[in-house]
């Protein structure tokens, strides 16, 4: 695994072609991989190709790709036949967050692929150390946690389970850079990984503020957009504290931390919505009420935003300051 990596020579598979499975497939096609996309559900055979084609067409219109979508689709095979996974060096499982369902899928993968094929899961809820014990050779199993839309976002977490081979993690880390990602290698497995643990701590406090009458849902969202959302794309939490004064945060923490929510139960606000069948924009019923037209437009607007924020963010990569220093030194 020390030779330079060429995606065109690394056939991969995506198993599970829902919303995220399709965008992951697009990301891999754009990177140059031949992709075998396996549909565990018959409905995926009907919806996957149009959804992938739509993503590629929009990527072409937005300048994310310069070749015709048809050229990328030539490298794609959509199938229900797990036997076609045999030549794949990497398999990405993107099925429902249910261990029984995933184990059934892993059994089908395990029966076909070579012993050195890397198997990964896009789970965001189930520890990798649990999932990897569902396959025959757990050391070749890791987590790949993506963000939606997977072909426009820079985010990717690579998670090693307790039994994972560290060199395989390093190989995925190198490969992920060819997918236009700024990956994070999580060397020790922990439930929720990194991004979700940070985000859910914020979600919990957001529920606390609303349910105890300090602010409305709209107020909390407005504060997030105009504060955290303003700087988060450029810097993370630690560099933000460096930029704005470490000592001040130390002072505030002593008094603020004891007042933050440490609730362990699911908040009533979200519990009520889910029990009433709410799924957000998917069915126009969530924390906000939507007409079907508004729900559709919010989804389209987010997709549009993902392209715009990508263009801006690419101007400021993680090493932006080192690059500027290098340019100044050359001058």
């Amino acid at each position: 695994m020390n030779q330079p990596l060429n995606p065109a020579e690394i056939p991969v598979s995506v198993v599970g072609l829902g919303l995220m499975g399709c965008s992951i497939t697009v990301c891999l096609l754009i990177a140059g991989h031949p992709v075998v996309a396996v549909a565990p559900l018959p409905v995926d055979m009907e919806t996957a190709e149009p959804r992938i084609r739509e993503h590629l067409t929009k990527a072409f219109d937005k300048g994310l790709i310069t070749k015709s979508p048809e050229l990328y689709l030539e490298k794609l095979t959509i199938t229900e036949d797990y036997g076609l996974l045999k030549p794949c060096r990497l398999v990405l499982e993107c099925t429902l967050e249910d261990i029984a369902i995933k184990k059934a899928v892993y059994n089908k993968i395990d029966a076909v692929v070579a012993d050195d094929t890397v198997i990964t899961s896009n789970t965001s809820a189930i520890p990798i150390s649990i999932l990897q014990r569902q396959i025959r050779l757990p050391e070749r199993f890791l987590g790949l946690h993506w963000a939606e839309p997977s072909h426009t976002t820079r985010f990717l977490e690579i998670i090693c389970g307790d039994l994972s081979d560290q060199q395989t993690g390093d190989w995925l880390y190198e490969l992920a850079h060819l997918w236009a990602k700024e990956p994070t290698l999580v060397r020790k497995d922990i439930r929720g990984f990194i991004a979700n643990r940070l985000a859910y701590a914020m979600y919990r406090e957001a529920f606390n503020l609303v349910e105890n009458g300090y602010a409305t849902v709209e107020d909390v969202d407005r504060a997030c957009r105009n504060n955290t959302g303003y700087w988060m794309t450029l810097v993370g939490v630690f560099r933000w504290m460096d930029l704005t004064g470490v000592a001040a945060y130390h002072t505030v923490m002593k008094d603020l931390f004891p007042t933050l929510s440490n609730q362990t139960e699911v908040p009533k606000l979200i519990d009520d919505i889910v029990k009433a069948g709410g799924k957000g924009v998917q069915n126009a019923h969530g924390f906000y009420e939507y007409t079907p037209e508004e729900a559709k437009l919010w989804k389209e607007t987010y997709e549009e935003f993902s392209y715009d924020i990508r263009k801006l963010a690419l101007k400021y990569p993680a090493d932006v300051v080192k690059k500027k220093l290098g340019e100044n030194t050359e001058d």
Side-chain angles (χ1 to χ4, degrees):
M1 292 187 180
N2 293 323
Q3 296 179 352
L5 300 178
N6 179 0
E9 299 174 354
I10 304 174
V12 301
S13 173
V14 178
V15 180
L17 295 174
L19 183 68
M20 185 163 279
C22 286
S23 66
I24 291 173
T25 298
V26 171
C27 178
L28 298 172
L29 288 171
I30 290 174
H33 291 280
V35 180
V36 177
V38 177
L41 302 174
V43 67
D44 290 343
M45 291 297 295
E46 301 174 13
T47 60
E49 197 274 344
R51 186 178 286 165
I52 291 168
R53 181 182 294 274
E54 181 182 358
H55 280 321
L56 287 169
T57 300
K58 188 165 187 178
F60 180 78
D61 293 341
K62 291 288 186 179
L64 184 62
I65 58 176
T66 55
K67 299 177 183 177
S68 165
E70 296 299 327
L71 293 177
Y72 294 96
L73 290 168
E74 288 176 1
K75 291 193 171 187
L76 173 65
T77 301
I78 300 177
T79 181
E80 294 178 284
D81 183 5
Y82 282 81
L84 297 185
L85 300 185
K86 190 170 185 178
C88 292
R89 291 180 56 192
L90 170 64
V91 178
L92 300 92
E93 170 266 310
C94 302
T95 60
L96 296 174
E97 295 285 61
D98 183 296
I99 292 181
I101 292 174
K102 290 183 184 297
K103 180 172 175 54
V105 168
Y106 297 155
N107 288 342
K108 294 177 181 178
I109 296 170
D110 236 349
V112 175
V113 299
D115 287 353
D116 61 352
T117 296
V118 179
I119 302 174
T120 69
S121 176
N122 183 43
T123 182
S124 59
I126 306 173
I128 300 305
S129 299
I130 292 176
L131 289 179
Q132 68 183 175
R133 287 174 168 82
Q134 311 305 312
I135 72 167
R136 184 169 50 85
L137 299 170
E139 64 273 11
R140 44 92 169 258
F141 187 100
L142 292 92
L144 281 181
H145 183 216
W146 303 70
E148 179 67 16
S150 301
H151 57 292
T152 65
T153 50
R154 295 187 296 172
F155 172 83
L156 184 70
E157 288 177 330
I158 302 161
I159 307 99
C160 295
D162 294 343
L163 303 176
S164 299
D165 177 21
Q166 184 67 53
Q167 287 188 326
T168 304
D170 294 338
W171 179 74
L172 285 171
Y173 182 78
E174 182 181 354
L175 186 60
H177 284 86
L178 304 180
W179 301 341
K181 302 300 178 191
E182 286 190 8
T184 298
L185 181 58
V186 185
R187 299 175 185 274
K188 291 174 59 178
D189 191 19
I190 185 170
R191 187 178 290 273
F193 319 132
I194 297 175
N196 271 348
R197 292 184 72 87
L198 293 171
Y200 276 82
M202 182 171 62
Y203 299 159
R204 179 171 60 185
E205 187 58 33
F207 281 111
N208 178 56
L209 293 169
V210 173
E211 291 185 340
N212 288 285
Y214 295 106
T216 66
V217 167
E218 293 87 348
D219 291 329
V220 171
D221 280 353
R222 189 176 300 113
C224 287
R225 287 198 312 273
N226 296 320
N227 184 275
T228 312
Y230 196 76
W231 52 262
M232 190 66 85
T233 299
L234 176 63
V235 296
V237 291
F238 291 108
R239 197 178 300 278
W240 176 245
M241 288 187 282
D242 273 351
L243 285 168
T244 53
V246 174
Y249 289 93
H250 181 270
T251 299
V252 171
M253 285 177 185
K254 288 186 289 185
D255 294 325
L256 181 60
F257 274 11
T259 74
L260 296 176
S261 172
N262 60 2
Q263 180 179 341
T264 58
E265 300 296 322
V266 173
K268 184 178 185 301
L269 177 57
I270 190 172
D271 197 46
D272 288 346
I273 291 172
V274 171
K275 286 179 178 176
K279 297 181 180 179
V281 296
Q282 185 177 339
N283 66 352
H285 174 45
F287 298 102
Y288 296 85
E289 291 296 330
Y290 309 88
T291 65
E293 293 77 14
E294 287 173 333
K296 181 175 182 292
L297 188 55
W298 266 110
K299 181 178 180 298
E300 292 172 353
T301 300
Y302 174 68
E303 290 177 356
E304 187 79 11
F305 172 81
S306 73
Y307 279 97
D308 288 343
I309 199 68
R310 174 188 173 88
K311 287 181 181 178
L312 177 61
L314 288 176
K315 290 176 59 179
Y316 303 95
D319 58 351
V320 60
V321 169
K322 289 182 180 179
K323 284 187 175 182
K324 287 185 175 180
L325 287 173
E327 291 170 358
N328 292 340
T329 301
E330 291 174 5
D331 293 343

